[in-house]
Amino acid sequence: AQKVTQAQTEISVVEKEDVTLDCVYETRDTTYYLFWYKQPPSGELVFLIRRNSFDEQNEISGRYSWNFQKSTSSFNFTITASQVVDSAVYFCALSEQTNTGNQFYFGTGTSLTVIP
Amino acid sequence: GAVVSQHPSRVICKSGTSVKIECRSLDFQATTMFWYRQFPKQSLMLMATSNEGSKATYEQGVEKDKFLINHASLTLSTLTVTSAHPEDSSFYICSARDFLSAAQPQHFGDGTRLSIL
């Protein structure tokens, strides 16, 4: 079973539109961490945000905001007033602490294209 | 923030060549580094977990003799693709964590685009 599901494979929006990228996760742990990464066309992965399972407060950073809802096991990412530079693949990830260490799971990614 | 350097960024070589990729943590010590492979328009596929001073842990289906991993120091891990063939062409990316805690994000290198002719 997929631990992290990003159901949206590709999204296209026109510049200045808002867009929400969905992320649904699955875990039995009470302590876990969620992440979002951005991968622009150049290929490097850029860390955007980390959220721990005990903090459901939504976070806003400029045009980016994240909505964490444990009740629906979702950690959605919204870009407000999208720009061409936001075009990238976005990955959601889950980190769990296990007895033997920890596991890091990536979703399959959502490719966002912002059309000028 | 934590910086991971990966070198080279791009390699084009003939079939049968062995290619070494380096991954360095520049401003922190990484007891564990991770090697991923990414095909076009696909997600990251974990190949192996590299532990300093011990043998790497490979994921199922990844050939240990094909993809040699060495983690000789707390700041350097290398991936060697031995006798590379066209099917090995891919984007390889490494990552490292400051320490092995679920709370820590993975910090990624810029990736290596490998093309085998």
Side-chain angles (χ1 to χ4, degrees):
Chain A
Q2 191 75 7
K3 297 283 279 187
V4 179
T5 301
Q6 294 179 255
Q8 304 150 306
T9 307
E10 296 182 359
I11 300 177
S12 292
V13 297
V14 177
E15 201 171 21
K16 298 184 182 178
E17 287 184 346
D18 299 346
V19 59
T20 295
L21 310 182
D22 298 333
C23 175
V24 175
Y25 62 92
E26 179 184 329
T27 181
R28 294 183 178 180
D29 289 1
T30 54
T31 302
Y32 55 89
Y33 300 85
L34 297 163
F35 304 84
W36 274 96
Y37 287 86
K38 174 182 180 180
Q39 187 178 37
S42 49
E44 75 275 16
L45 274 150
V46 179
F47 165 68
L48 296 178
I49 190 172
R50 176 190 69 192
R51 178 57 95 220
N52 74 60
S53 53
F54 297 108
D55 182 3
E56 286 193 73
Q57 189 173 13
N58 291 332
E59 182 156 340
I60 298 174
S61 176
R63 296 183 297 106
Y64 294 171
S65 63
W66 290 269
N67 185 348
F68 176 31
Q69 299 220 344
K70 289 179 74 171
S71 60
T72 55
S73 297
S74 65
F75 186 43
N76 297 337
F77 173 28
T78 297
I79 301 174
T80 304
S82 59
Q83 300 176 1
V84 173
V85 293
D86 296 327
S87 297
V89 180
Y90 291 86
F91 291 97
C92 180
L94 164 71
S95 179
E96 297 175 321
Q97 194 77 43
T98 68
N99 292 334
T100 56
N102 66 82
Q103 293 291 325
F104 207 93
Y105 304 93
F106 282 96
T108 50
T110 297
S111 177
L112 174 65
T113 301
V114 180
I115 304 166
Chain B
V3 178
V4 174
S5 172
Q6 187 172 342
H7 178 80
S9 58
R10 187 174 186 93
V11 180
I12 302 173
C13 57
K14 293 181 179 179
S15 185
T17 307
S18 291
V19 178
K20 179 186 282 189
I21 304 170
E22 293 188 348
C23 182
R24 294 181 186 271
S25 55
L26 297 184
D27 54 356
F28 65 97
Q29 293 185 329
T31 54
T32 302
M33 290 184 176
F34 305 88
W35 288 96
Y36 292 86
R37 183 173 181 175
Q38 187 180 31
F39 290 103
K41 298 190 176 183
Q42 294 191 22
S43 187
L44 298 158
M45 182 190 78
L46 180 64
M47 298 174 66
T49 302
S50 167
N51 300 295
E52 187 268 335
S54 64
K55 291 183 179 180
T57 304
Y58 290 82
E59 296 299 303
Q60 192 172 9
V62 178
E63 298 177 59
K64 300 178 183 180
D65 296 332
K66 176 73 170 178
F67 300 100
L68 299 178
I69 292 173
N70 183 280
H71 194 157
S73 76
L74 286 171
T75 59
L76 173 65
S77 176
T78 60
L79 167 68
T80 301
V81 184
T82 61
S83 187
H85 291 287
E87 59 266 27
D88 298 322
S89 298
S90 190
F91 187 64
Y92 293 88
I93 190 164
C94 71
S95 71
R97 275 171 139 167
D98 280 356
F99 57 94
L100 203 58
S101 162
Q104 293 300 311
Q106 292 191 20
H107 299 281
F108 289 85
D110 287 347
T112 298
R113 207 164 295 280
L114 176 62
S115 300
I116 307 299
L117 305 177

